[in-house]
Amino acid sequence: MEKAETPLQHVQANIVKACKIARREPSEVTLIAVSKTHPAEAIEPLLREGQRHFGENRVQEAQVKWPALREAHPAVQLHLIGQLQSNKAEDAVALFDVIHSLDRPSLVKALAKAMDKLGKRVPCFVQVDVGEEDQKGGCPAAELPALLEQAQGADIPVAGLMCIPPLDIEPAPFFAFLDKLARDHGLDGRSMGMSGDYETAIRLGATHVRVGTALFGERGKPA
């Protein structure tokens, strides 16, 4: 009897299929397992399967969960995918390998100061407010050129752009918009797509997909 496919294997297979449709190589897409609100014991099975990129929303939660896991799995890359308060910038730079939520001038200043202090340059995605939803954070598209110029002037490595489309609306036009913005600004990275739409995002150029529910099941309670 064949062994049942694990959630990770299922998502990886879907990534391969989406890449084939888009005539892309699967190696062009980084799968970020969104482990926010899930305890270490839920993360360990994915680590054993070889998953190495994980996403967290909150600095405080990651500080509790990840030191021991990273000690056991030093190749882990930790991504901050939630909104970041400026007063947490130094903690974020110390803990994370990539930040996906750079969205305002005050945060550019805080991150640059933290990176200078710690002697560590952390690649950042600039989050764009593609759906004009203030509550999600994100830089308005019209203000993107100025923010990119400020980040580059502060020696912050800009990895690309990130977006979270509005809920319950077809996401493809928002992904296509982010892809165009990235191309217009000569940026390689596109952090877009979650459990319900990552295949669509890949077909429209995503380089990083942030998948939680499809890997872990329904969200747990915050740590």
Side-chain angles (χ1 to χ4, degrees):
M1 185 174 175
E2 281 190 28
K3 190 177 179 182
E5 188 178 49
T6 67
L8 178 60
Q9 289 169 338
H10 180 71
V11 171
Q12 288 171 332
N14 286 342
I15 288 172
V16 170
K17 282 189 283 188
C19 285
K20 188 173 182 181
I21 291 168
R23 297 185 178 181
R24 299 178 63 196
E25 292 297 322
S27 59
E28 296 174 24
V29 179
T30 298
L31 170 61
I32 301 169
V34 178
S35 48
K36 64 180 184 181
T37 76
H38 295 288
E41 53 266 29
I43 296 168
E44 282 164 349
L46 272 77
L47 285 164
R48 288 195 293 270
E49 279 192 79
Q51 176 65 24
R52 289 296 178 264
H53 290 265
F54 291 85
E56 292 285 342
N57 258 36
R58 295 167 63 236
V59 173
Q60 302 95 310
E61 182 184 343
Q63 285 173 321
V64 172
K65 283 192 329 203
W66 279 98
L69 287 168
R70 295 189 87 167
E71 194 172 337
H73 302 275
V76 158
Q77 294 281 296
L78 205 52
H79 299 250
L80 178 63
I81 61 171
Q83 284 186 273
L84 177 60
Q85 296 174 319
S86 294
N87 64 357
K88 294 287 183 186
E90 188 173 329
D91 289 340
V93 169
L95 182 62
F96 289 92
D97 300 292
V98 187
I99 293 169
H100 290 244
S101 48
L102 176 55
D103 64 353
R104 59 195 187 277
S106 60
L107 188 54
V108 170
K109 290 178 184 175
L111 285 169
K113 182 179 177 182
M115 290 182 196
D116 290 342
K117 180 178 177 180
L118 297 176
K120 177 185 180 187
R121 308 325 281 184
V122 177
C124 294
F125 286 83
V126 173
Q127 183 176 349
V128 182
D129 179 15
V130 291
E132 299 181 0
E133 299 176 289
D134 292 342
Q135 74 276 15
K136 281 185 180 172
C139 171
E143 297 171 19
L144 179 61
L147 190 66
L148 287 171
E149 186 177 351
Q150 185 187 3
Q152 288 156 351
D155 197 25
I156 292 176
V158 177
L161 304 180
M162 180 271 232
C163 74
I164 304 172
L167 282 173
D168 303 321
I169 298 178
E170 168 56 47
F174 299 100
F175 295 152
F177 179 49
L178 194 81
D179 179 62
K180 182 181 186 305
L181 285 175
R183 279 188 281 112
D184 287 348
H185 292 284
L187 297 169
D188 294 330
R190 293 125 169 93
S191 172
M192 58 189 195
M194 298 186 283
S195 285
D197 55 24
Y198 64 92
E199 293 167 84
T200 300
I202 289 167
R203 292 196 291 270
L204 290 166
T207 60
H208 294 68
V209 293
R210 311 178 305 269
V211 178
T213 303
L215 294 171
F216 292 98
E218 289 304 317
R219 199 176 297 174
K221 292 182 180 179

